[in-house]
Amino acid sequence: MNEIFHVLPPLLECAVEAEKYVAAAGWDQPVRLFALVDAARFAQAEPGLADTLHEARDDGGEVEPGAAFVTIEQEDLPPHEDVEELLAQLAWPAEVDGVAISLERIVLPPEAEADLPEDPAEAARASLDHPERADIRLLAAVSRDGERVCVVRQRAHDSDDEVAAGSEIAPGLLDALAATLED
């Protein structure tokens, strides 16, 4: 029997794997941030870790430049009130080839959003109590060469095979994330 292999673009594969990593810790998590580094360049810069990268590959071979990313979680994030404030504080060195962020949100149907109070704090409380709310986790990723992707998981459908992906899911978040890579 012939097997069909689905090869994902490197940024999408990285985003899917990072979202699975975040999902393993469950729900109700804080914002999580990741630097993305070309795996081939990372292996050259960190020869002690290169064997781990080779072992992770199905064929045990070396990673070609541009074929994969290494995801490095950034801990001890600067204090921030919201994601926009956090992203406005960030800048990445040239060695970072991309960045990803994971965050959880509540979404409502458009007709329910129209009925929310104007005050942001009151709107947040109303969203929490709304019967049609959906809890989601977004993992947005961008690369220096302009690629962008979001991966979305719903709490109600919390399974690795029910994750959606697209390049226009959260354009504002992707724009803000891409701005952290600009010189």
Side-chain angles (χ1 to χ4, degrees):
M1 181 189 315
N2 292 335
E3 290 187 43
I4 298 175
F5 294 97
H6 296 279
V7 178
L8 299 176
L11 187 64
L12 177 56
E13 182 175 3
C14 174
V16 167
E17 290 303 315
E19 196 285 327
K20 283 182 189 177
Y21 169 78
V22 172
W27 286 88
D28 303 318
Q29 295 185 50
V31 170
R32 294 175 73 177
L33 186 69
F34 304 88
L36 310 179
V37 178
D38 180 87
R41 197 161 38 83
F42 183 82
Q44 287 178 340
E46 298 290 338
L49 297 174
D51 290 340
T52 304
L53 286 175
H54 299 315
E55 290 169 12
R57 289 182 47 95
D58 292 336
D59 62 7
E62 291 189 20
V63 179
E64 294 293 321
F69 291 101
V70 172
T71 308
I72 305 163
E73 186 164 9
Q74 306 299 294
E75 297 178 353
D76 301 324
L77 297 179
H80 57 279
E81 290 292 320
D82 56 32
V83 172
E84 292 79 15
E85 182 183 345
L86 171 65
L87 294 177
Q89 298 177 59
L90 300 179
W92 300 94
E95 296 80 18
V96 173
D97 298 300
V99 61
I101 192 166
S102 172
L103 50 96
E104 295 178 10
R105 291 290 181 254
I106 295 171
V107 293
L108 298 173
E111 60 276 6
E113 286 183 11
D115 296 334
L116 290 177
E118 299 259 339
D119 177 77
E122 290 178 32
R125 280 190 294 279
S127 296
L128 285 171
D129 295 332
H130 200 282
E132 294 181 78
R133 84 180 236 189
D135 296 348
I136 64 165
R137 177 182 304 114
L138 282 171
L139 189 127
V142 298
S143 66
R144 280 200 192 272
D145 65 7
E147 286 185 84
R148 42 179 59 204
V149 68
C150 278
V151 178
V152 180
R153 180 185 298 248
Q154 289 188 26
R155 188 184 294 235
H157 304 281
D158 192 3
S159 172
D160 289 347
D161 63 349
E162 293 195 42
V163 173
S167 60
E168 293 300 324
I169 292 174
L173 178 59
L174 290 167
D175 290 344
L177 204 54
T180 69
L181 293 169
E182 294 175 0
D183 296 331

